[in-house]
Each structure stands twice: as structure tokens, then as C-alpha cells.
Amino acid sequence: MDSAIPPDAIDDESRDTLTGLAGIASASDWLDRNGAKGFVHAMLLGLHRFRSVNLAYGQSAGDIALVELAQRIRIFADEEIGGDTLVARVGGGDFLVASAGKVSRERWQWLAEALARRVSRVLPLRGEELQLAPRIALLRGQPGEGGPALLDRLDQALTTLQQQPARRLQWADGSHLARGRSAARLEADMIGAMARDEIGIVFQPQYAVAGGDIVGVEALARWDHPQLGRIGAETLFALAERGDHVAQVSRHIAGRAMWQAVEWKPVIPLSLNITAEDLGDDRLVEDCRLLLGQTGYPPSSLTVEVTEHALIADFERSAAALEQLARLGVRIALDDFGAGYANFRTLKALPVNTLKLDASLVRDIDRDPRDRAILRAIVAMARALGQKVVVEGIERESQLQVLAAEGCDAFQGFLRSGPIPADQIAALSR
């Protein structure tokens, strides 16, 4: 099959002015062109009763919520689906995700489940906590089926779904949800995969802005399911959450990553992501202490990365857990900074050592003076607080030149390397 039309090829004038995503016209055109080449999978996400948000908080607050949710959906698509993927806002609180890559019907359904999980996380809005209930219609387009026809089928299915409050997903062909592995079967697959050590780890290298040496790695879980294919971290944790296995999966990933990292000589600093469920688990700190003792990995070389989304559910409890981790000598990074609502209270209340700037914040720093000014202000704030600045998503040499000029510490991104296996990290450190 010919390569898909890349989302980056969408004209800026066709983008949604609020979120920066593709608009409905360009989405329809993308579906037309890619559908003519073969199968496309698509899902239409609707925010159930989003109008009530505008009524309760005002349209400006509703717009803030839409921008945040657009970021969540875009990041999810990048992390969990990968290339040949389109993300668009097609009207109001409706978002389209489409892929021209090879994907089974069953996997597309589980991706939709995982996306619903991410979108439904608590969202801070004007001093309150908002939690939206997304509904998702799914389809597999027929060869040659045009964009308008695909969007119409999705819209009809979503309209039907929103009249059934007990359901969250529906296929637009009118069939039931994909048969095959039930949630219980997938849960058993996941537990078995951990027992057989089949959930692998890849590492995203982090490089010094000055000099280019490798200065750290971020551990990322990957599960190559024999039938469903590659399952990323968000989908994996969506499955784990269904069976109350989040802590077990987190411990498995952390342990495997640390056992691999301790073999690298010299030691390379390791970053692990922790979830809201982890922060709410009373065993988090003790589990971390035990893993450090068992593996012999130095606490000062370990960083736990936490997003503000993970903190929202219970900020005080999360802050206390992070303080205890810091007392072990573990470092704390605030992840995806700039993609959410991190504020001075967050930075003051937490023992944050590092700010990790989201890729969306720096995408145009080499092209837009306003974006560069925002970066400069964040770096100045971080310096005043004694924090390092790590930047995600660097893809162009011109972006790296701006990071150097503004005094950022480290970066990660496809300019130098995507996620790679442990043996390649070891080679980089020699």
C-alpha cells in the first residue's frame, strides 16, 4: 500500500483555530485520499453533554477545556498509534482519530477504550475539578469510501450512542463490539505476559543540549501481543485498570527497567513514569525502596516523572508520596509541562527537580518569537527555583539551536533518537 498522506501536510489555513488540530474539511480530504489507497480505521469521540460545561463555566472556560482535551488526544495518538495517524476537531466537542496503518478491529477497539480513559481523567477548571464522559464511535472504512460518507456513518453511530448512557463505545457498522478476547481474557493475557517477562522496555535517550552526550533515558513499556500487535503504555494501563492491576504492572515495568539499567557502566540516569493510581497506592514508597535495594540502582540516578493530571485526583496525598520518594534520594520531574495547567502552587508544593517541557510547547520555537519568549520565561523560572529543564519532541536542528541559546539542559526527540532497546543504550554510553 502507498504511504499515507501525512497529517503535517495539512495546510495551516485548514486547521481548527482553537486547538490547532486539523479541521473537518481537511479531515474529510485526508480520509478521501487515504481511503482510496486501502482500509482506514477511524474513531469519532464526542464529549457527552459538553454544552453543560459552557453553561456552567462560560464559553471561554469551555474553550480552555477543549484545548486541553485536544492535547490529550494528540499525545495519545502519537504515543499509542504512531505514524499514518490523523487527529482532527470536527465540530464542537467532537474529535476524530484516524489511522491508515495496519490495525486489527480488536486492537482499534482497545485503543478507543484507552483513549476514553485518558480523556476522562480529571480536568481542573476555574478552581473546580471537571470529569467528562466521552463516547466513541468506531469504524473500518471500506476501500474507496469517501470522507463525507465515513464521517456521516461515525456521526450517526455517535448520535445513537449518546442516547445510551450505559455504553461508551459502538461500531458504526451497527455490529456489537469486536468479538475475540474479552476483558477477562486480555487481563489473563497481561498477567501471563508479566509472568513470562513478555512486556518489554524500550528507552528514550535524553541528550545534553551542550555537547550532545547522553545524560539519561526514559523507560517506556511495550507489549507485543501475539494477536493484537504492539500495545503501548496507555492501552496497557487501561487494561490493568479494569482488573485493578495498575500497581502490579507499574512494579513490573519499574523492576525490569532498573535491572536493565544497573548493567550500564557508567550508570545512566533512569526516568520512570508513575500514574495517579501509583500515587494513591500506599505501597508505592516501600516498593520503590525494595526495588532500589534489590537492584542496587543508585537512588540519586532515578527520576520519577509525574504529570499534573496524575496529581489532580488527590493533590495532598500525591505531594506527600513524592516527598517520601524524595527522602529516599529519588529525583522528581514534572512531566508534560506546558500541556496542562501546572501553576506556581504545584511547583511550590512539590519537591520538583526537573521540568519536562511538552513537545507542543516548543514545536515552533524556531519559527515563532512568541513561543521562544514563553520558553525563555519558563527557563528563567526554573533557574530561580533550582530546577533543570528537559525538552521533549525535538525534531529539527534549528529547535536545538534555540534550546542552546536559551539555556535548556537536555532534550529528547527524533532529531537524535526514538525509543531504542537496552543493548543500544549500553552501546551509546561507551
Side-chain angles (χ1 to χ4, degrees), residues 95-405:
F95 295 87
L96 176 76
V97 178
S99 174
K102 292 182 179 179
V103 57
S104 69
R105 176 183 173 99
E106 192 174 8
R107 181 168 182 251
W108 194 244
Q109 180 173 311
W110 280 104
L111 285 167
E113 289 269 12
L115 177 58
R117 176 180 184 264
R118 179 169 294 195
V119 168
S120 62
R121 289 175 181 165
V122 172
L123 180 107
L125 194 64
R126 295 196 168 168
E128 297 187 28
E129 295 181 353
L130 177 66
Q131 192 161 24
L132 298 168
R135 302 288 186 268
I136 302 179
L138 309 94
L139 62 71
R140 185 190 191 200
Q142 300 302 313
E145 186 175 12
L150 287 167
L151 289 170
D152 184 60
R153 280 210 287 143
L154 284 168
D155 184 63
Q156 290 184 41
L158 184 61
T159 299
T160 301
L161 183 60
Q162 288 179 331
Q163 296 168 358
Q164 304 174 36
R167 295 188 66 185
R168 206 160 59 161
L169 302 181
Q170 180 165 305
W171 281 87
D173 56 14
S175 71
H176 295 292
L177 297 180
R179 292 180 174 85
R181 280 169 185 72
S182 64
R185 178 67 256 174
L186 271 171
E187 181 184 334
D189 288 351
M190 180 184 65
I191 293 171
M194 284 190 287
R196 295 185 296 271
D197 211 20
E198 293 175 354
I199 297 177
I201 309 291
V202 291
F203 298 89
Q204 174 77 60
Q206 298 170 347
Y207 299 94
V209 170
D213 293 335
I214 187 169
V215 293
V217 293
E218 177 184 358
L220 303 168
R222 295 290 186 269
W223 178 20
D224 289 314
H225 192 284
Q227 280 76 44
L228 299 182
R230 173 63 57 87
I231 293 178
E234 184 73 28
T235 309
L236 177 63
F237 277 97
L239 297 175
E241 187 178 35
R242 279 175 166 264
D244 197 23
H245 296 294
V246 170
Q248 183 181 356
V249 172
S250 289
R251 286 195 297 273
H252 175 84
I253 294 168
R256 180 158 184 180
M258 289 167 67
W259 278 114
Q260 289 179 325
V262 79
E263 297 296 322
W264 299 329
K265 305 297 181 187
V267 171
I268 300 174
L270 172 68
S271 294
L272 299 172
N273 294 282
I274 58 174
T275 66
E277 293 86 355
D278 293 324
L279 288 169
D281 188 338
D282 292 335
R283 298 169 296 176
L284 172 65
V285 177
E286 185 57 29
D287 285 345
C288 184
R289 189 197 313 275
L290 288 172
L291 275 175
L292 289 168
Q294 291 166 358
T295 62
Y297 191 80
S300 60
S301 294
L302 179 65
T303 295
V304 294
E305 298 187 6
V306 58
T307 66
E308 192 183 18
H309 301 141
L311 300 170
I312 291 168
D314 190 336
F315 187 88
E316 299 304 325
R317 182 171 182 171
S318 298
L322 293 175
E323 285 284 358
Q324 292 177 61
L325 287 172
R327 291 192 198 108
L328 295 179
V330 174
R331 302 180 69 79
I332 311 297
L334 189 58
D335 195 12
D336 293 341
F337 190 84
Y341 294 88
N343 53 40
F344 289 110
R345 172 177 176 256
T346 305
L347 297 176
K348 180 181 177 182
L350 302 179
V352 175
N353 306 107
T354 302
L355 295 184
K356 285 195 73 177
L357 307 193
D358 184 70
S360 64
L361 193 68
V362 298
R363 183 175 295 116
D364 295 319
I365 54 172
D366 54 342
R367 300 167 177 168
D368 191 329
R370 296 169 298 178
D371 287 351
R372 182 164 180 169
I374 292 170
L375 172 65
R376 183 178 301 132
I378 292 173
V379 172
M381 177 189 67
R383 290 288 174 265
L385 295 172
Q387 297 163 346
K388 291 186 177 180
V389 176
V390 178
V391 184
E392 299 177 295
I394 297 302
E395 299 178 348
R396 300 185 298 275
E397 189 67 38
S398 53
Q399 291 174 307
L400 181 57
Q401 291 171 2
V402 173
L403 300 188

